[in-house]
Amino acid sequence: MKVDVLTGLQWGDEGKGKIVDCITPKYKIVARFQGGPNAGHTLEFDGKKFVLHLIPSGVFHNDTLNVIGNGVVIDPVVLARELDDLEKLGVDTAARIVISKKAHLITPFHKLLDAAQEASKGSSKIGSTLRGIGPAYTDKVARTGLRIGDSERDNFRQRFNNHRERCIDTLKAMGAKPESTLALEDEWFEALYRISELRFVDSEYDLNEALDKGERILAEGAQGALLDVDFGSYPFVTSSNTTTSGACTGLGISPARIGQVYGIFKAYCTRVGSGPFPTELHDAMGDHLRKSGNEFGSTTGRPRRCGWLDLPALKYAVMLNGVTGLIMTKIDVLNDVSEIGVCTAYKTADGETRRLPWDLNDAIPVVKYFKGWNGSLSHVAKEADLPPQARDYIAFIEEYIGVPVIILSTGPDRTQTVMLKD
Ligand code: GDP
Ligand code: IMO
Ligand code: MG
């Protein structure tokens, strides 16, 4: 058996949570491989809405194990809150969720550093979610991080104290020495104790052994390709590899064991936080997409910037991820848009190109317009039910990208999902 991967192809918030939840019944295990509480994955079913930040989106299915992989950075306070919320709904979290011993911890000091670093950048700030992601991954790479497994060692308090000293020194040097952090630390240790009710496991062994037994695994990405630390719009990116390769390192899976790669994208584009966005609409249409798509961050509530679909960027993300099947979401948001724009190339001094410039600030989009369908898609259960204009839009995207759209999402609810191809 191989691991199938689901990754975002834009700047995050493509609808990963909804789709993972929809396809989980096919899988024995769902595993998150990177990111942390910067993610907000929304699921809707039976008239209820849930936003998950650290727990994989397979958690509402009885027969699926949810793994938080070594590549994830965990804030125990956020995780404990999520566990409490799920338990109130009757989810047996201890049976359904396990954590890699090698996953790194986000401490209160990482969050303070995140805020201080952003403040020091002034107008060139990244627009971080301020969840401590960058500083936690920095500690990981600097080989000074604290891991889930470390929390079970006798010397953990001492190691935490050393970490506190290091962080306070850095904060002081930035002129951001905190008052007292005792309350934050108490809350953090309490939460750490709470999450120790989950099993801490050698998840790389468990996952590979599950594959050997023929079990199906879905790797759930967070963020999106254009936020990838290597290939995204650097420095306006997150601090992990959001693409398929991140699933290998973030779970301990060999590249030879990657199976299908599902790439998910919205029928238009959004971005939350700073950084270049070539097809951004600063006009009434941008406002319309934001309102109609309810484009406000699932984690921070910030308004998302909106714009047309960017095909060169999408093709780039498909190439990086090795996407075998596309999933298109939020097509319903275009229901009453009579002229739908799509970026097909960029203008450069040497003419038009379909290659993403290495600096996205240099990307001037060439936009082609499609006739809209001006009507609801709520009746659509199969491809043939789609209005011809919607079919043309999808066919153009498939032709341009060279990969079929296999799932179409026509609303936030689990049931508003159309399987176009097997
Ligand atoms: P994720 O981070 O990729 O999981 O996406 P988010 O949950 O942050 O943002 C996607 C938002 O769009 C959520 O509010 C979803 O409920 C919603 N959503 C998902 N698919 C659709 C869809 O097809 N149509 C509409 N209108 N909303 C959708
Ligand atoms: P999901 O998984 C959208 C953005 C932030 C900021 C940049 C860096 O829900 O799609 P960070 O907190 O990682 O240091 O922020 O990345 N960002 C996201 N944008 N969806 C997300 O996750 C994001 N996670 C981080 O807004 O611009
Ligand atoms: Mg999100």
Side-chain angles (χ1 to χ4, degrees):
M1 260 310 149
K2 298 202 167 183
V3 176
D4 295 342
V5 182
L6 184 140
T7 58
L9 299 180
Q10 295 162 323
W11 280 286
D13 304 329
E14 297 89 349
K16 297 176 289 293
K18 174 201 157 154
I19 298 296
V20 169
D21 170 59
C22 283
I23 63 176
T24 289
K26 288 192 193 166
Y27 296 93
K28 192 80 190 150
I29 298 175
V30 176
R32 262 283 296 274
F33 58 87
Q34 46 69 234
N38 49 351
H41 294 179
T42 314
L43 287 67
E44 285 192 38
F45 55 87
D46 299 341
K48 295 188 208 79
K49 178 172 165 173
F50 310 93
V51 183
L52 298 168
H53 301 286
L54 277 162
I55 294 176
S57 302
V59 74
F60 289 101
H61 297 264
N62 288 334
D63 298 327
T64 304
L65 181 71
N66 292 269
V67 177
I68 302 179
N70 55 280
V72 177
V73 284
I74 298 174
D75 183 341
V77 177
V78 177
L79 182 54
R81 207 178 301 136
E82 248 177 286
L83 293 175
D84 289 345
D85 289 346
L86 287 175
E87 284 188 2
K88 277 186 213 134
L89 300 168
V91 176
D92 181 357
T93 54
R96 251 183 246 176
I97 305 164
V98 298
I99 313 182
S100 165
K101 289 178 192 164
K102 295 194 168 94
H104 278 246
L105 285 160
I106 299 176
T107 72
F109 298 99
H110 289 138
K111 289 205 277 187
L112 292 171
L113 282 167
D114 209 355
Q117 286 167 0
E118 279 287 77
S120 73
K121 290 193 175 98
S123 60
S124 53
K125 69 175 186 196
I126 289 161
S128 155
T129 59
L130 301 180
R131 298 300 187 267
I133 305 295
Y137 277 119
T138 302
D139 260 342
K140 173 176 176 172
V141 177
R143 296 160 294 180
T144 47
L146 298 168
R147 297 185 291 176
I148 282 284
D150 294 326
S151 68
E152 294 184 313
R153 293 185 206 266
D154 291 340
N155 65 354
F156 185 65
R157 278 276 173 176
Q158 186 54 50
R159 294 187 59 179
F160 181 86
N161 291 344
N162 297 343
H163 162 78
R164 182 211 292 115
E165 295 317 311
R166 269 197 310 273
C167 294
I168 298 260
D169 284 349
T170 313
L171 285 163
K172 268 191 201 157
M174 297 177 82
K177 185 186 172 302
E179 297 284 298
S180 166
T181 54
L182 271 182
L184 291 175
E185 290 181 43
D186 284 350
E187 181 192 33
W188 191 82
F189 273 99
E190 209 173 289
L192 191 58
Y193 180 71
R194 165 75 176 90
I195 70 169
S196 68
E197 285 169 25
L198 301 183
R199 275 178 294 143
F200 297 166
V201 299
D202 298 310
S203 54
E204 62 276 37
Y205 275 112
D206 296 352
L207 292 169
N208 281 287
E209 283 164 15
L211 292 177
D212 293 342
K213 280 192 274 177
E215 290 177 359
R216 298 194 67 185
I217 299 176
L218 178 66
E220 172 181 0
Q223 291 81 53
L226 303 176
L227 288 171
D228 182 281
V229 67
D230 279 281
F231 298 107
S233 44
Y234 194 90
F236 301 101
V237 294
T238 191
S239 302
S240 63
N241 283 117
T242 62
T243 39
T244 304
S245 55
C248 296
T249 53
L251 294 176
I253 299 290
S254 131
R257 294 197 106 161
I258 298 294
Q260 299 300 314
V261 179
Y262 303 121
I264 182 164
F265 70 104
K266 286 185 205 189
Y268 48 100
C269 260
T270 63
R271 165 160 215 177
V272 59
S274 332
F277 180 177
T279 60
E280 183 169 12
L281 293 162
H282 297 279
D283 55 10
M285 181 53 68
D287 293 339
H288 173 77
L289 293 175
R290 186 172 312 106
K291 193 156 175 263
S292 173
N294 190 24
E295 294 296 358
F296 296 89
S298 314
T299 297
T300 58
R302 291 176 292 177
R304 296 178 184 142
R305 300 155 63 192
C306 297
W308 297 130
L309 183 62
D310 185 334
L311 288 180
L314 191 67
K315 201 169 165 75
Y316 180 67
V318 164
M319 172 186 83
L320 296 173
N321 280 292
V323 171
T324 57
L326 288 167
I327 299 171
M328 182 175 181
T329 60
K330 303 195 95 161
I331 189 166
D332 54 297
V333 175
L334 301 179
N335 280 351
D336 51 4
V337 177
S338 41
E339 298 267 290
I340 303 169
V342 182
C343 166
T344 55
Y346 302 117
K347 284 179 207 152
T348 69
D350 305 324
E352 285 186 14
T353 177
R354 288 183 166 205
R355 285 177 88 124
L356 211 58
W358 90 278
D359 181 351
L360 263 191
N361 285 300
D362 299 337
I364 302 165
V366 177
V367 178
K368 175 182 164 76
Y369 289 90
F370 283 78
K371 279 260 156 302
W373 44 94
N374 288 309
S376 165
L377 297 177
S378 60
H379 63 288
V380 175
K382 53 186 186 310
E383 192 159 13
D385 300 336
L386 282 167
Q389 298 89 335
R391 249 183 284 164
D392 286 351
Y393 186 55
I394 296 168
F396 183 80
I397 294 167
E398 289 181 318
E399 165 74 19
Y400 188 105
I401 305 289
V403 176
V405 176
I406 55 169
I407 300 176
L408 192 62
S409 175
T410 58
D413 193 84
R414 217 186 238 175
T415 55
Q416 294 170 300
T417 312
V418 187
M419 298 294 170
L420 296 180
K421 302 193 175 64
D422 226 357

Short mmCIF file of all heavy atoms in Angstrom, two decimals, residues 234-254:
data_model
loop_
_atom_site.label_atom_id
_atom_site.label_comp_id
_atom_site.label_asym_id
_atom_site.label_seq_id
_atom_site.Cartn_x
_atom_site.Cartn_y
_atom_site.Cartn_z
N TYR A 234 8.51 33.63 -0.85
CA TYR A 234 9.47 33.94 0.23
C TYR A 234 9.81 35.43 0.26
O TYR A 234 10.00 36.00 -0.81
CB TYR A 234 10.75 33.12 -0.01
CG TYR A 234 11.68 33.08 1.17
CD1 TYR A 234 11.56 32.10 2.13
CD2 TYR A 234 12.67 34.04 1.31
CE1 TYR A 234 12.42 32.07 3.22
CE2 TYR A 234 13.53 34.02 2.39
CZ TYR A 234 13.39 33.03 3.34
OH TYR A 234 14.23 33.00 4.42
N PRO A 235 9.91 36.09 1.38
CA PRO A 235 9.80 35.56 2.75
C PRO A 235 8.36 35.50 3.30
O PRO A 235 8.19 35.19 4.47
CB PRO A 235 10.62 36.58 3.55
CG PRO A 235 10.38 37.89 2.84
CD PRO A 235 10.24 37.53 1.38
N PHE A 236 7.39 35.80 2.45
CA PHE A 236 6.00 35.80 2.92
C PHE A 236 5.43 34.38 2.84
O PHE A 236 4.55 34.10 2.02
CB PHE A 236 5.17 36.82 2.13
CG PHE A 236 5.74 38.21 2.25
CD1 PHE A 236 6.51 38.75 1.24
CD2 PHE A 236 5.52 38.96 3.40
CE1 PHE A 236 7.06 40.02 1.36
CE2 PHE A 236 6.07 40.23 3.53
CZ PHE A 236 6.85 40.77 2.51
N VAL A 237 5.96 33.51 3.64
CA VAL A 237 5.64 32.09 3.61
C VAL A 237 5.52 31.59 5.05
O VAL A 237 5.79 32.33 5.99
CB VAL A 237 6.74 31.29 2.88
CG1 VAL A 237 6.81 31.66 1.40
CG2 VAL A 237 8.11 31.53 3.55
N THR A 238 5.18 30.32 5.19
CA THR A 238 5.25 29.72 6.51
C THR A 238 6.62 29.06 6.65
O THR A 238 7.47 29.19 5.77
CB THR A 238 4.06 28.75 6.75
OG1 THR A 238 4.05 28.42 8.13
CG2 THR A 238 4.15 27.50 5.90
N SER A 239 6.85 28.32 7.73
CA SER A 239 8.21 27.84 7.99
C SER A 239 8.37 26.35 7.78
O SER A 239 9.26 25.73 8.35
CB SER A 239 8.61 28.20 9.43
OG SER A 239 8.53 29.60 9.59
N SER A 240 7.50 25.76 6.94
CA SER A 240 7.64 24.32 6.68
C SER A 240 7.45 24.05 5.19
O SER A 240 7.02 24.91 4.44
CB SER A 240 6.59 23.53 7.49
OG SER A 240 5.28 23.88 7.10
N ASN A 241 7.77 22.82 4.78
CA ASN A 241 7.51 22.38 3.41
C ASN A 241 6.08 21.84 3.34
O ASN A 241 5.77 20.80 3.91
CB ASN A 241 8.51 21.32 2.96
CG ASN A 241 9.85 21.92 2.61
OD1 ASN A 241 10.87 21.63 3.24
ND2 ASN A 241 9.87 22.81 1.63
N THR A 242 5.25 22.59 2.64
CA THR A 242 3.83 22.26 2.59
C THR A 242 3.52 21.28 1.46
O THR A 242 2.40 20.79 1.36
CB THR A 242 3.01 23.54 2.33
OG1 THR A 242 3.42 24.05 1.05
CG2 THR A 242 3.26 24.60 3.39
N THR A 243 4.51 21.03 0.62
CA THR A 243 4.29 20.20 -0.57
C THR A 243 4.51 18.71 -0.25
O THR A 243 4.91 18.35 0.85
CB THR A 243 5.22 20.68 -1.70
OG1 THR A 243 6.49 21.00 -1.12
CG2 THR A 243 4.70 21.93 -2.37
N THR A 244 4.27 17.86 -1.24
CA THR A 244 4.29 16.40 -1.02
C THR A 244 5.56 15.92 -0.34
O THR A 244 5.53 15.01 0.49
CB THR A 244 4.09 15.67 -2.37
OG1 THR A 244 2.88 16.14 -2.95
CG2 THR A 244 4.00 14.17 -2.19
N SER A 245 6.70 16.55 -0.70
CA SER A 245 7.95 16.12 -0.07
C SER A 245 7.88 16.28 1.44
O SER A 245 8.49 15.50 2.19
CB SER A 245 9.13 16.92 -0.63
OG SER A 245 8.85 18.30 -0.47
N GLY A 246 7.12 17.25 1.91
CA GLY A 246 6.93 17.46 3.35
C GLY A 246 6.23 16.27 4.00
O GLY A 246 6.42 16.00 5.18
N ALA A 247 5.42 15.55 3.22
CA ALA A 247 4.73 14.37 3.76
C ALA A 247 5.75 13.26 4.04
O ALA A 247 5.60 12.48 4.98
CB ALA A 247 3.65 13.88 2.81
N CYS A 248 6.80 13.19 3.20
CA CYS A 248 7.84 12.15 3.41
C CYS A 248 8.62 12.46 4.70
O CYS A 248 8.76 11.59 5.56
CB CYS A 248 8.80 12.12 2.22
SG CYS A 248 7.98 11.61 0.71
N THR A 249 9.11 13.69 4.82
CA THR A 249 9.91 14.02 6.00
C THR A 249 9.03 14.20 7.24
O THR A 249 9.48 13.91 8.35
CB THR A 249 10.72 15.31 5.76
OG1 THR A 249 9.83 16.33 5.34
CG2 THR A 249 11.79 15.10 4.71
N GLY A 250 7.82 14.64 7.05
CA GLY A 250 6.95 14.93 8.19
C GLY A 250 6.25 13.70 8.75
O GLY A 250 5.57 13.78 9.77
N LEU A 251 6.42 12.56 8.06
CA LEU A 251 5.80 11.32 8.55
C LEU A 251 6.78 10.16 8.60
O LEU A 251 6.50 9.13 9.21
CB LEU A 251 4.60 10.92 7.65
CG LEU A 251 3.40 11.87 7.66
CD1 LEU A 251 2.36 11.40 6.65
CD2 LEU A 251 2.78 11.97 9.05
N GLY A 252 7.91 10.31 7.89
CA GLY A 252 8.86 9.18 7.83
C GLY A 252 8.44 8.15 6.79
O GLY A 252 8.54 6.95 7.01
N ILE A 253 7.96 8.66 5.66
CA ILE A 253 7.51 7.81 4.56
C ILE A 253 8.49 7.99 3.40
O ILE A 253 8.82 9.13 3.04
CB ILE A 253 6.11 8.27 4.08
CG1 ILE A 253 5.08 8.14 5.21
CG2 ILE A 253 5.68 7.55 2.82
CD1 ILE A 253 4.73 6.75 5.58
N SER A 254 8.94 6.90 2.80
CA SER A 254 9.85 7.03 1.66
C SER A 254 9.09 7.58 0.45
O SER A 254 7.91 7.27 0.28
CB SER A 254 10.44 5.65 1.35
OG SER A 254 10.34 5.37 -0.01
#
